[in-house]
């Protein structure tokens, strides 16, 4: 189990035209075209438009990798 000082790793925020998943620094997880195809992303968040089918993305693999990085204590901050 992780201690509270590790933070939570993920945060959600609903906007008018998308839902943002904040993952701190996506590039530290390995943000590449295959994992995040179809997802608009910046340094610290992934933006999911309402029309996006999650099944058409690699977000599940990205999240598993992000959790592994986070649990290892490597940190994911921007």
């Amino acid at each position: 189990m992780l201690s509270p000082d590790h933070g939570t790793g993920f945060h959600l925020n609903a906007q008018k035209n998308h839902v943002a998943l904040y993952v701190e620094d996506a590039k530290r997880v390995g943000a590449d075209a295959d994992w995040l195809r179809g997802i608009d992303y910046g340094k610290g968040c992934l933006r999911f438009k309402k029309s996006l089918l999650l099944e058409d993305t690699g977000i599940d693999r990205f999240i598993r990798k992000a959790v592994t990085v986070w649990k290892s204590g490597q940190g994911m901050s921007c």
Side-chain angles (χ1 to χ4, degrees):
M1 181 170 190
L2 295 173
S3 64
D5 61 334
H6 277 86
T8 57
F10 298 97
H11 301 278
L12 284 173
N13 185 12
Q15 300 293 324
K16 181 178 179 181
N17 297 314
H18 67 270
V19 172
L21 174 65
Y22 290 88
V23 294
E24 299 184 17
D25 191 349
K27 293 183 188 218
R28 291 188 101 186
V29 178
D32 63 25
D34 182 48
W35 287 6
L36 300 178
R37 67 184 170 274
I39 300 171
D40 179 29
Y41 67 94
K43 183 176 180 182
C45 76
L46 310 175
R47 293 176 286 275
F48 299 89
K49 294 183 179 176
K50 294 178 183 182
S51 61
L52 179 67
L53 294 175
L54 292 179
E55 297 84 15
D56 294 340
T57 71
I59 190 62
D60 55 331
R61 291 180 288 157
F62 178 86
I63 290 174
R64 280 195 294 273
K65 175 66 175 176
V67 169
T68 300
V69 169
W70 179 62
K71 284 185 175 180
S72 73
Q74 294 177 36
M76 294 173 33
S77 49
C78 297

